[in-house]
């Protein structure tokens, strides 16, 4: 490879497997958005494809409790919906 010289144009090729499942690390979410461990776990699990109903069974908590944690996640991440949260997590912090 040639040496990259500051100010000179260069080409960067990034390869990404679009079929690989995307995951976010709960600890990273805690640090980036100041989430509690439970909020981070719920956000990461939703991003991994779990539904609220599946989380109630997995975490042994009620739907209302999951939704309460999710409201806290929305507030801390400055989003208003689960769809906006998923987009934020997919694209990374602003």
């Amino acid at each position: 490879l040639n040496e990259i010289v500051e100010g000179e144009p260069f080409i960067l090729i990034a390869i990404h497997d679009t079929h690989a499942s995307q995951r976010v690390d709960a600890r990273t979410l805690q640090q980036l958005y100041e989430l509690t461990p439970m909020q981070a776990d719920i956000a990461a699990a939703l991003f991994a494809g779990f539904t609220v109903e599946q989380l109630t069974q997995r975490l042994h908590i009620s739907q209302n409790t999951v939704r309460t944690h999710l409201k806290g996640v929305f507030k801390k991440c400055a989003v208003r919906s689960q769809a906006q949260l998923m987009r934020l997590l997919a694209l990374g912090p602003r």
Side-chain angles (χ1 to χ4, degrees):
L1 292 176
N2 291 336
E3 197 173 302
I4 296 176
V5 178
E6 188 174 331
E8 291 293 317
F10 66 94
I11 296 174
L12 173 68
I13 298 174
I15 299 173
H16 175 71
D17 183 357
T18 58
H19 298 294
S21 62
Q22 290 187 327
R23 297 199 185 276
V24 293
D25 180 60
R27 280 186 247 139
T28 301
L29 293 178
Q30 279 182 262
Q31 293 172 350
L32 287 175
Y33 301 106
E34 299 181 5
L35 302 178
T36 66
M38 182 63 81
Q39 289 172 337
D41 287 343
I42 288 171
L46 287 172
F47 189 73
F50 287 89
T51 65
V52 170
E53 292 77 21
Q54 290 170 326
L55 287 175
T56 63
Q57 295 171 359
R58 183 177 183 201
L59 300 172
H60 306 290
I61 57 178
S62 72
Q63 265 193 359
N64 285 338
T65 302
V66 172
R67 293 195 186 283
T68 298
H69 286 297
L70 202 48
K71 284 180 187 179
V73 173
F74 291 172
K75 184 175 181 179
K76 291 178 181 179
C77 292
V79 297
R80 293 181 177 229
S81 69
Q82 193 169 324
Q84 287 179 343
L85 177 64
M86 296 302 104
R87 183 171 189 267
L88 174 70
L89 297 182
L91 297 176
R94 295 178 190 145

